[in-house]
Amino acid sequence: MLSSREMSPRDVHRSIDTVWRMEAPRLIAGLVRMVRDVGLAEELAQDALVAALEHWPGDGVPDNPGAWLMATAKRRAIDRLRHLQLQQRKHEQLAVESEDAPPPFAAPDDADRLDDDIGDDLLRLVFTACHPVLPTQARVALTLRLLGGLTTDEIARAFLVPEPTVAQRIVRAKKSLASADVAYEVPRGPELSERLASVLEVVYLIFNEGYAATAGDDWMRPAMCDEALRLGRVLAGLAPREPEVHGLLALMEIQASRTKARVADDGTPILLLEQDRGRWDRLLIGRGLASLATAERLGGGDGPYALQAAIAACHARAATADATDWARIAALYARLAARAPSPIVELNRAVAVGMADGPAAGLALADALREAPQLQHYHLLPAVRGDLLHKLGRFGEARDEFERAAGLTRNAREQALLRQRAAACG
């Protein structure tokens, strides 16, 4: 255990925040298995966090903080279950002559049962949160909250919707799962296909939050990318004939291959065209290309994830930035826009067209998106426009766009980069 005397209060609280980000999904998943209630599981996990805030500043951060949080949460869960069991027995005694007597509460017989191997609780939690009893948007928001450890603000930014909307979705989702008594399990057969699309969306949003964090001091959260990759690989084993599962896995593998080249030693972001491609992970690229080939072999080459993976593969196959096949990337984005229309896809197509046909062509596409409601507070629209304007020599306009983009992002690293680009406009 690292003594609190060796760490400042700020360092301790920063450590607690980091541990919580990493351990909260596993903690909640294990607790749901025990108490069979998503809302109660999150409440117990929060109780463990409060206990850490009370004890760690004085006692020091434990050597295994995740195990400490789980042990604390388990003790509170056992106390809660025993209390409910005792309460249930009293109800049964009072209702012994009533036809409306409630069924016995299913609590464990002893604490040892709570220490069973948790298996793949995280995957079970994904499918529980993605149950058809919930609207699609609520499924995604709840799973990001429980498995991604994201705040409602971060989820709102990922969805480009107001924060109160996301908060309401999460609260209603928990109540709906509890009232429907949803089973904590991975579905099989036809039900698996019905829920798979939502699960894939959730996994990819978790990956994206790790790959380019919406807020905070770090541009990346590698642990979140790793968790999304793990879930993606498990899904590929669970549904080997589903092409979009392999398409998503391919996309994540190829994007994750750039992790070491995306951030400088001081944490500064490094943009794609400026990265040292010698630092890209060739093993991950190989795995990603193999998964893409599997998706295409299964007839899913035009799936949204497979198309994005094909775009990522264009970058992975280019030995240098100048060798990138931007014309093919622009064509792939056009196919993606037809398959899954989105202003964000169109914005990415504008970037590709700007590289393939010149910045003026790209700017015309980006300008057409300025009134899109979903992009009104999306920082990458002014960032893209700033880049294209800079290439056209319109430096004053480019500076204004970079400054606007910096004001819209909540990520400190990205904000600094955008302001640096604004200053470079002279």
Side-chain angles (χ1 to χ4, degrees), residues 207 211 220 222 225-230 232-233 246-262 277-293 309 312-317:
F207 179 85
Y211 191 72
M220 293 189 65
C225 290
D226 291 343
E227 193 56 54
L229 278 168
R230 189 189 74 83
R233 290 164 185 157
H246 296 284
L248 173 59
L249 183 56
L251 174 58
M252 294 192 298
E253 299 270 21
I254 296 172
Q255 287 184 317
S257 71
R258 308 173 195 153
T259 297
K260 293 181 180 178
R262 295 188 72 237
R277 299 188 177 211
R279 300 192 68 193
W280 287 3
D281 190 323
R282 306 312 300 184
L283 175 61
L284 282 175
I285 289 175
R287 291 175 62 126
L289 294 176
S291 294
L292 177 58
C314 289
H315 294 293
R317 291 184 174 116

Side-chain angles (χ1 to χ4, degrees), residues 4 7-18 57 217:
S4 61
M7 304 175 67
S8 68
R10 183 178 179 181
D11 289 337
V12 172
H13 282 83
R14 184 178 298 154
S15 296
I16 293 172
D17 181 65
T18 300
D217 296 328

Side-chain angles (χ1 to χ4, degrees), residues 5 24 29 56 89 100 110 139 166 170-171 195 240 264 280 286 291 315 334 377 397 403-404:
R5 289 190 295 271
W56 292 5
R89 287 172 182 164
D100 299 323
D110 52 57
R139 300 176 208 173
V166 173
I170 292 173
V171 170
R195 288 161 62 181
W280 287 3
S291 294
H315 294 293
H377 302 287
E397 294 172 85
E403 287 286 1
R404 180 167 176 263

Side-chain angles (χ1 to χ4, degrees), residues 36-66:
R36 293 298 194 271
D37 184 307
V38 169
L40 177 57
E42 188 175 20
E43 181 183 330
L44 290 166
Q46 292 284 349
D47 287 346
L49 174 63
V50 171
L53 291 169
E54 292 173 350
H55 291 281
W56 292 5
D59 300 342
V61 178
D63 294 332
N64 190 337

Side-chain angles (χ1 to χ4, degrees), residues 156-161 204-205 208 308 311 333-334 336-337 340-352 365-366 368-370 372-381 384:
R157 292 182 68 79
F159 284 133
L160 306 178
V161 296
Y204 189 40
L205 282 172
N208 275 343
Q308 292 177 75
I311 292 167
Y333 269 122
L336 180 60
S342 160
I344 295 178
V345 172
E346 290 292 348
L347 181 61
N348 284 318
R349 187 166 76 90
V351 174
L365 292 177
L369 299 170
R370 296 176 75 179
Q374 287 178 284
L375 301 185
Q376 291 305 298
H377 302 287
Y378 188 53
H379 71 284
L380 290 183
L381 175 57
V384 167

Side-chain angles (χ1 to χ4, degrees), residues 317-355:
R317 291 184 174 116
T320 64
D322 292 338
T324 305
D325 189 348
W326 286 105
R328 173 166 168 73
I329 291 175
L332 287 168
Y333 269 122
R335 286 169 59 187
L336 180 60
R339 179 71 172 77
S342 160
I344 295 178
V345 172
E346 290 292 348
L347 181 61
N348 284 318
R349 187 166 76 90
V351 174
V353 168
M355 296 297 294

